[in-house]
Amino acid sequence: MAAKILDGKAIAQKVREEVREGVARFAAAHGRPPGLDVLLVGDDPGSVTHTRNKEKVSNELGMRGRLHRLAEGTTEAELLARIAELNADDAVDGILVQLPLPGHLREHRALDAVDPAKDVDGLHPVNAGLLALGRPGGLAPCTPSGCMRLLAEAGVPIAGARAVVVGRSNLVGKPMAALLLAHHATVAIAHSQTRDLRALCREADILVAAAGKAKLIGGDWIKEGATVIDVGLNRDEAGKLVGDVDFEAAKERAAWITPVPGGVGPMTIAALLATTLRAAEARAAKLPP
Ligand code: NAD
C-alpha cells in the first residue's frame, strides 16, 4: 500500500485562516487584537529564526506579536521581572519563553513564572497537570496539538487505537501521549531505554516519532495501514532535513504519513497561534481556556 501524505503545509494554512477570522472577530469585540509576546534570551541563531518567525506570522494574522530580545547575560531576576511585567499587562494574552535558555538560567523558574492563563506553550505545571488529569481548561503544547489536528484532518479513528509515542519529553512526547489518551487511544510511551522498540512500533495503529534520531524507525517497523506522524527534525549525513522515520520505506506500509519537511513543522506555529487566540478569548470571557 502506498500511504497518503498528511500535508502539514496545507492543513496549517487552513488553521491559519481560521485563526485570522477569529482574530478579526476578537479585535472587533474587544477593541484590540490578541497579543503574543515571545521572550528570547541570547543569540542562538536557530532560536532567533524561530522567534522572529513567530512574531512575523502572528502579525500577519492580525495579532499584536512582539519579540523581546534579552541579552545573553540576563540574570534570572531580570528575566522573572520581565515575565511579571507581561503577566500584569492586560494586552498580553500569550507569553512564550523560547527554549533552551542559556545555561545559567533555570528553565523551570522561568516556565513556572508565566501566568498559566497566558502559557501558550503549555509548559506551566498547572497546564501540564490539567492535561495529565484529563481535565479541561488548560493550554496544551503546540506541537502535540498540531499532531492531533493532523489526525483529525485525516479522519483517523483514535478511540480504541493502539498508539505508540517514541519520546517522552515534556514538550512533545508526554503531552502527545496525554492527548491521545484523552481521545481514548491505548497509549505506550517509548524512550531511549525501551527494549525492543521495533516490536513495540509494529503494534502501533498510530505511531508518533519524536526522538530526534535520523531514520531511527525503519520501514519494516510500521504496521500495515498505520498512521505515522513524524515529529523529528534531524540532518542526515548529506545535511538534508529528515525525520525519525525512514519515509521512503515507511510509506509503502502506512496508510497515512507526514513528510519531513512539510508535515508536523508547519502545524506547530499554526497551533501556537490557535492556542493564543483561545487564551485571549478565555481571558476576555473570564473563563478557563
Ligand atoms: P528531546 O531530546 O527532549 O527528547 C527526545 C526523546 O526521545 C527522549 O525522551 C528520549 O528518551 C527519546 N529517545 C532518544 N533516542 C531514542 C531512541 N534511540 N529510542 C527511543 N527513544 C529515544 O527532544 P524533543 O524536544 O521532544 O524533540 C524531539 C524531536 O522532535 C527533535 O528532533 C526535535 O527537533 C523535533 N521537534 C520538532 C518540532 C516540529 O515543529 N516539527 C517541534 C518540537 C520538536
Side-chain angles (χ1 to χ4, degrees):
M1 181 195 310
K4 283 178 273 190
I5 303 299
L6 251 172
D7 184 348
K9 255 194 198 157
I11 297 168
Q13 192 51 39
K14 185 169 160 187
V15 174
R16 285 187 192 201
E17 290 314 314
E18 291 166 9
V19 172
R20 191 193 300 280
E21 285 166 23
V23 164
R25 267 198 311 275
F26 181 93
H30 302 288
R32 67 166 184 89
L36 172 65
D37 287 62
V38 179
L39 282 163
L40 170 63
V41 185
D43 306 304
D44 174 72
S47 295
V48 170
T49 307
H50 288 313
T51 51
R52 281 200 180 130
N53 199 29
K54 287 167 187 165
E55 180 186 41
K56 177 170 155 275
V57 178
S58 56
N59 282 301
E60 278 169 9
L61 299 189
M63 291 188 181
R64 196 267 306 124
R66 266 192 318 207
L67 170 59
H68 305 260
R69 298 274 314 255
L70 307 183
E72 180 84 28
T74 299
T75 64
E76 199 165 88
E78 286 166 341
L79 176 60
L80 296 183
R82 185 62 82 92
I83 294 171
E85 272 171 33
L86 297 175
N87 283 341
D89 184 343
D90 204 40
V92 174
D93 299 292
I95 302 171
L96 188 151
V97 179
Q98 184 69 31
L99 301 179
L101 288 169
H104 67 285
L105 299 171
R106 288 170 292 180
E107 283 181 1
H108 73 274
R109 291 296 306 272
L111 298 176
D112 293 2
V114 174
D115 178 348
K118 300 186 178 189
D119 169 39
V120 286
D121 239 355
L123 292 173
H124 189 284
V126 165
N127 284 317
L130 289 170
L131 185 58
L133 292 172
R135 277 171 43 180
L139 297 169
C142 306
T143 301
S145 299
C147 294
M148 293 305 289
R149 178 67 187 256
L150 288 174
L151 292 172
E153 291 283 333
V156 172
I158 302 176
R162 183 87 164 105
V164 173
V165 179
V166 184
R168 59 171 164 184
S169 71
N170 292 336
L171 192 64
V172 187
K174 276 186 215 153
M176 186 72 228
L179 286 169
L180 287 164
L181 189 59
H183 286 76
H184 315 295
T186 302
V187 186
I189 306 177
H191 47 78
S192 52
Q193 299 196 29
T194 296
R195 286 195 212 112
D196 203 354
L197 184 60
R198 178 175 182 268
L200 186 65
C201 289
R202 285 178 74 119
E203 291 176 12
D205 302 309
I206 298 171
L207 178 65
V208 182
K213 295 274 177 288
K215 299 194 179 176
L216 169 70
I217 294 169
D220 63 341
W221 295 27
I222 307 297
K223 182 176 173 180
E224 284 285 347
T227 299
V228 179
I229 306 284
D230 193 351
V231 182
L233 286 177
N234 318 288
R235 297 270 166 201
D236 70 5
E237 318 77 51
K240 197 172 139 238
L241 201 58
V242 295
D244 289 354
V245 178
D246 181 348
F247 178 83
E248 289 305 325
K251 81 176 188 338
E252 296 308 317
R253 294 170 68 99
W256 287 99
I257 189 165
T258 59
V260 177
V264 174
M267 293 303 292
T268 293
I269 187 151
L272 168 68
L273 302 170
T275 301
T276 303
L277 174 61
R278 202 156 69 76
E281 286 168 340
R283 290 184 58 251
K286 300 202 175 351
L287 288 170

